Amino acid sequence: MEQTTFQKKTSSLEELKPKRPNEKVSYREKWQPVIEKLVSDERYAANFFFGIGSGLSAAPVVSLLTSQICKTYGLDIDRTFVCSAMYTGLWDNGEWSRIKNYGYKSDFMTWLLMVSSQVVFDRLKEEGYICSSLKTASNVRLRLLSQSEHIRKTVVDLIALPEWHNLLKAYYVDKMQPDEIKKQLGLSDELYSATKIAAENCLKQVLLDTEEGKYYADMVLSDKVHSKPMDNAVQLDSLGDRFIDDNGKSPIAEFFDSDGTGEHIDSNIVKFLYDFVSTKMHWCKSDVELWGQRFIHNVSPVDIAERIGRTRAYVDNRFSILCRQFKAAIRQWWYAHVERCPIAV
């Protein structure tokens, strides 16, 4: 009976998203009571994740993830497997650390989809359903913009989740500008960034781990370890660990470890950097975008040049100028706020 009830629930996130343009309830007002019950009421949490009863549940997220797994890996995974993976992964021995870190800056169901995708993927690997490549999404980068339209479309179509597929299609196939994508998809700056990162990471993992994806992997992926980015570019893989002092401590990591778990250092640094250059540097949007793509996300200058319709030389020269301005400003800020500046810029 429980399975039947679960299957009747909607498979779309649209019902659970705030309504426009008459929305008056904030994300916090809408979701805080749910979050508080999830982390304090074990029965409510079980009902929510396993879709028991007629109340609010994670059924839309479960349906989307189950569909993605089926399409990507050809696995006939039961919904209860996805429910269990989400519940146990997010439960975290009763700590609910990920749930507690939901910041009410995007719709909870959309946020839950992004967080749960990695949790479920990890469970699939643990249970032996999929054999993961030695390479991971964190040590490869996408080289998709420079491919033909046919290749770009075929690769993007490997992702079935509508929220991710639509964004990837707009960015990589239609080559729309971020502001255009945000307007078309109704995304805030923060939700756009989070969704893009989650979608790209999922796409990279699909390219690495599926037979269909591996056919295109060599064409559209490159190894970060063997690439030669400009000296100014920073790869944010465990960025906090890159700045270690003589005592084995990382001032960067300690400063940005907001909750003491070490899980959100890199995301906190990314948010800080974007906030810093947006408010302190008085740059135009195009400069912020160019600098962020090179400095934070280590995107190839060739890909950036193609995207903005400029030459490689322009991108390199502009980035060099922006980096000099940033270095001077960040040094001054760090000395004023955090004593010695550990950033090697």
Side-chain angles (χ1 to χ4, degrees):
M1 289 297 293
E2 293 176 359
Q3 181 72 8
T4 302
T5 302
F6 186 90
Q7 288 177 334
K8 288 182 179 179
K9 296 181 183 295
T10 177
S11 61
S12 171
L13 296 182
E14 294 303 319
E15 284 186 20
L16 298 169
K17 288 184 177 179
K19 300 295 187 283
R20 294 188 178 91
N22 298 319
E23 179 202 338
K24 295 182 180 180
V25 180
S26 69
Y27 293 129
R28 183 175 294 277
E29 290 173 313
K30 179 178 181 180
W31 292 111
Q32 189 166 20
V34 176
I35 301 301
E36 290 176 351
K37 289 197 72 175
L38 279 176
V39 301
S40 63
D41 187 331
E42 185 175 342
R43 183 179 181 85
Y44 179 84
N47 290 344
F48 177 83
F49 283 102
F50 286 92
I52 302 172
S54 58
L56 179 67
S57 83
V61 175
V62 172
S63 296
L64 288 169
L65 288 176
T66 304
S67 174
Q68 177 68 47
I69 292 168
C70 178
K71 180 181 186 297
T72 303
Y73 299 104
L75 297 174
D76 187 17
I77 292 294
D78 189 89
R79 289 168 176 264
T80 55
F81 175 92
V82 178
C83 295
S84 176
M86 289 174 59
Y87 178 75
T88 56
L90 297 174
W91 175 62
D92 190 24
N93 295 316
E95 295 296 325
W96 294 107
S97 56
R98 288 187 177 92
I99 296 293
K100 290 177 180 178
N101 282 320
Y102 167 57
Y104 301 100
K105 296 181 179 179
S106 61
D107 184 75
F108 176 65
M109 286 295 180
T110 303
W111 177 88
L112 184 63
L113 174 63
M114 291 187 285
V115 173
S116 299
S117 62
Q118 188 60 51
V119 170
V120 174
F121 175 77
D122 289 343
R123 175 64 71 83
L124 288 170
K125 289 193 294 183
E126 291 171 7
E127 297 289 332
Y129 284 101
I130 58 176
C131 296
S132 181
S133 166
L134 293 176
K135 293 184 178 181
T136 66
S138 65
N139 59 33
V140 296
R141 67 168 56 82
L142 280 171
R143 299 291 195 192
L144 195 53
L145 284 171
S146 58
Q147 304 297 325
S148 68
E149 182 177 356
H150 172 72
I151 295 296
R152 299 198 310 272
K153 184 178 186 305
T154 302
V155 170
V156 166
D157 284 345
L158 294 172
I159 299 299
L161 296 180
E163 284 80 1
W164 293 353
H165 179 272
N166 292 341
L167 189 150
L168 292 173
K169 179 179 180 296
Y171 188 88
Y172 287 107
V173 180
D174 302 331
K175 294 190 175 182
M176 295 172 60
Q177 295 297 318
D179 286 345
E180 296 176 311
I181 299 173
K182 295 171 195 174
K183 183 177 180 181
Q184 176 175 297
L185 301 181
L187 301 175
S188 65
D189 291 346
E190 183 164 347
L191 185 54
Y192 167 80
S193 178
T195 304
K196 184 171 181 288
I197 291 172
E200 288 176 335
N201 284 341
C202 181
L203 178 57
K204 286 189 278 189
Q205 209 65 59
V206 168
L207 287 164
L208 291 169
D209 292 336
T210 67
E211 288 304 316
E212 187 177 3
K214 288 176 181 177
Y215 179 81
Y216 299 98
D218 288 341
M219 287 186 276
V220 302
L221 293 178
S222 64
D223 195 329
K224 285 185 179 180
V225 176
H226 297 128
S227 63
K228 297 181 179 179
M230 290 180 62
D231 291 339
N232 284 327
V234 173
Q235 297 178 21
L236 278 179
D237 304 325
S238 300
L239 179 59
D241 295 333
R242 292 168 60 89
F243 307 104
I244 308 297
D245 63 17
D246 295 336
N247 298 317
K249 295 182 178 180
S250 170
I252 284 280
E254 292 174 2
F255 184 78
F256 288 102
D257 190 10
S258 57
D259 57 8
T261 66
E263 293 184 2
H264 305 283
I265 294 173
D266 286 353
S267 61
N268 287 341
I269 293 175
V270 170
K271 184 177 187 305
F272 166 78
L273 289 174
Y274 272 121
D275 288 345
F276 185 88
V277 298
S278 298
T279 59
K280 304 291 186 183
M281 303 306 299
H282 306 293
W283 291 346
C284 63
K285 284 187 178 181
S286 60
D287 280 346
V288 171
E289 179 77 13
L290 187 153
W291 179 86
Q293 290 294 299
R294 287 293 293 123
F295 189 88
I296 296 176
H297 301 295
N298 202 20
V299 175
S300 161
V302 176
D303 288 346
I304 296 175
E306 179 182 352
R307 180 168 182 76
I308 66 176
R310 295 277 193 165
T311 64
R312 162 71 184 271
Y314 171 86
V315 173
D316 287 343
N317 290 336
R318 191 62 191 159
F319 179 61
S320 178
I321 292 170
L322 295 174
C323 275
R324 287 199 297 271
Q325 296 174 359
F326 169 74
K327 289 175 185 179
I330 196 65
R331 279 200 185 99
Q332 183 178 8
W333 182 91
W334 191 274
Y335 280 122
H337 292 81
V338 202
E339 302 179 357
R340 183 176 65 85
C341 180
I343 304 180
V345 293

